[in-house]
Amino acid sequence: MAYQHVAAAALIAASLIATPAAVSAKPKLTGEQQLAKILEGREAGKPVNCIPLNQSNDTQVVDKTAIVYRVGGTLYVNRPTNADKLDSDSILVTKLYSSQLCRLDTIQLHDRSTRMWNGFVGLQDFVPYTRVKQQASAGN
């Protein structure tokens, strides 16, 4: 009976060890590919210097590429300086000097697990992306 428990434990352990290999076989998207997927079905507008951060209801970090802020139905993409420091597992620490987040503001990056300072990024222009309006087909 003890042998059955040992065999069952060995099978469970083997399946847990094999699982990461199957997961890692799936190719990871690059930052640019991740951003393209987020912006799918949207078109870029004229860049702006500032966005109202108090109206932003979501922030997403795209590894080594950009920070995406959602304000209402618009996504604002910022490609900051030092973007290679961006990591989706980083905590963004922003000091505001007004109710807006603007070009040239800096954001400190902190490691999520150690809470230690991990660098900073300097914001650039914010490019708004809105959903593409569907055109009615000529036959309808």
Side-chain angles (χ1 to χ4, degrees):
M1 180 140 207
Y3 176 74
Q4 291 174 339
H5 292 293
V6 171
L11 285 173
I12 291 170
S15 69
L16 292 174
I17 292 169
T19 301
V23 171
S24 65
K26 183 178 173 184
K28 184 174 180 190
L29 298 176
T30 67
E32 291 296 335
Q33 291 170 328
Q34 291 173 29
L35 185 59
K37 190 172 181 179
I38 293 168
L39 298 175
E40 193 172 299
R42 295 177 178 269
E43 62 185 0
K46 182 180 176 187
V48 296
N49 288 328
C50 300
I51 61 169
L53 191 58
N54 60 350
Q55 295 176 16
S56 175
N57 51 8
D58 186 30
T59 302
Q60 185 173 358
V61 175
V62 181
D63 292 344
K64 301 185 184 316
T65 306
I67 304 172
V68 180
Y69 298 91
R70 180 181 299 276
V71 178
T74 303
L75 298 181
Y76 288 90
V77 176
N78 193 290
R79 292 177 177 266
T81 58
N82 294 334
D84 61 312
K85 300 280 186 192
L86 289 173
D87 181 333
S88 59
D89 201 36
S90 292
I91 297 171
L92 305 179
V93 179
T94 308
K95 288 184 182 179
L96 291 179
Y97 300 98
S98 71
S99 63
Q100 295 189 323
L101 189 58
C102 295
R103 184 181 205 290
L104 302 181
D105 284 345
T106 58
I107 297 177
Q108 291 183 357
L109 306 173
H110 290 258
D111 183 87
R112 188 171 303 280
S113 59
T114 65
R115 303 279 195 249
M116 293 186 65
W117 184 77
N118 201 26
F120 74 95
V121 294
L123 297 178
Q124 298 300 309
D125 286 335
F126 297 84
V127 179
Y129 284 83
T130 54
R131 291 231 177 257
V132 176
K133 294 178 182 155
Q134 297 292 330
Q135 297 286 333
S137 62
N140 290 338

